[in-house]
């Protein structure tokens, strides 16, 4: 269970949630997104603690960091669209479910990876030889699988960044906006 935030932070989070609900009900997507991002930022520590509690003893500290990042990414992108509640209690419960899913996904991925590694190493669950590939071929397969996983994660992070820029650049004015638009078109610094 996560510790409640301080009183001032709790009030700020309540206000952000109230603004989000009002903007969502009014159909003002930009105001809803702003309020939601503020709500997530105010509850960053809470989400981080939820991940630690949920993953205790099952995930390494690096995996906990990955689970936190995955949970925050989903919280910022997916949950804003699907959350239908209006109270902090509903938000916290929905966030717990999301954190549980992120930790479970990461744990399943780790198990899948270790089973794949064991199969390619030529050992079974009990450590007995099963006649796998040679070590050079094993390494090539494992390296390729790790690169594919890293590429998928990088593509997801890029998509989130592009979505943020699509939202944020039109809100800029003057030279800042022009520079970012030219940069997004692929121009070099010298050309800009």
């Amino acid at each position: 269970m996560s510790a409640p935030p301080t009183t001032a932070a709790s009030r700020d989070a309540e206000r952000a949630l109230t603004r989000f609900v009002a903007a969502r009900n009014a159909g003002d997507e930009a105001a809803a997104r702003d309020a939601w991002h503020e709500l997530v930022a105010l509850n960053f520590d809470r989400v981080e603690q939820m991940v630690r509690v949920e993953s205790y003893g099952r995930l390494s500290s690096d995996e906990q960091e990955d689970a936190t990042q995955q949970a925050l990414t989903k919280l910022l992108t997916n949950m804003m669209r699907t959350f239908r509640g209006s109270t902090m209690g509903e938000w916290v419960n929905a966030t717990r479910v999301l954190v549980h899913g992120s930790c479970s996904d990461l744990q399943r991925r780790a198990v899948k990876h270790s089973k794949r590694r064991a199969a390619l190493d030529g050992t079974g669950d009990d450590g007995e030889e099963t006649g796998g590939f040679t070590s050079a071929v094993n390494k090539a397969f494992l390296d390729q699988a790790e690169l594919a996983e890293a590429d998928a994660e990088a593509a997801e992070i890029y998509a989130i960044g592009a979505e943020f820029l699509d939202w944020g650049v039109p809100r800029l004015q003057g030279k800042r906006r022009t520079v970012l638009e030219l940069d997004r078109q692929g121009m070099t610094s010298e050309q800009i």
Side-chain angles (χ1 to χ4, degrees), residues 15-35:
R15 282 192 286 270
L17 181 60
T18 301
R19 283 196 328 277
F20 167 75
V21 170
R24 178 188 66 193
N25 293 343
D28 185 352
E29 187 176 331
R33 185 185 336 252
D34 289 342

Side-chain angles (χ1 to χ4, degrees), residues 62-137:
D62 287 342
E63 291 169 330
Q64 285 180 10
E65 287 179 25
D66 290 346
T68 300
Q69 184 170 2
Q70 182 179 354
L72 288 167
T73 300
K74 287 180 178 181
L75 190 62
L76 282 169
T77 57
N78 301 344
M79 195 167 128
M80 184 184 94
R81 293 183 191 112
T82 60
F83 181 71
R84 296 293 168 240
S86 59
T87 66
M88 278 306 293
E90 291 170 315
W91 189 87
V92 168
N93 286 336
T95 302
R96 275 195 190 113
V97 170
L98 185 139
V99 164
H100 174 76
S102 293
C103 290
S104 296
D105 288 348
L106 200 69
Q107 191 175 9
R108 274 193 290 277
R109 196 176 334 142
V111 167
K112 182 178 167 184
H113 182 74
S114 67
K115 283 183 180 179
R116 185 180 335 140
R117 184 173 292 280
L120 290 175
D121 284 344
T123 58
D125 292 338
D126 57 0
E128 293 288 319
E129 281 288 325
T130 60
F133 295 106
T134 65
S135 64
V137 173

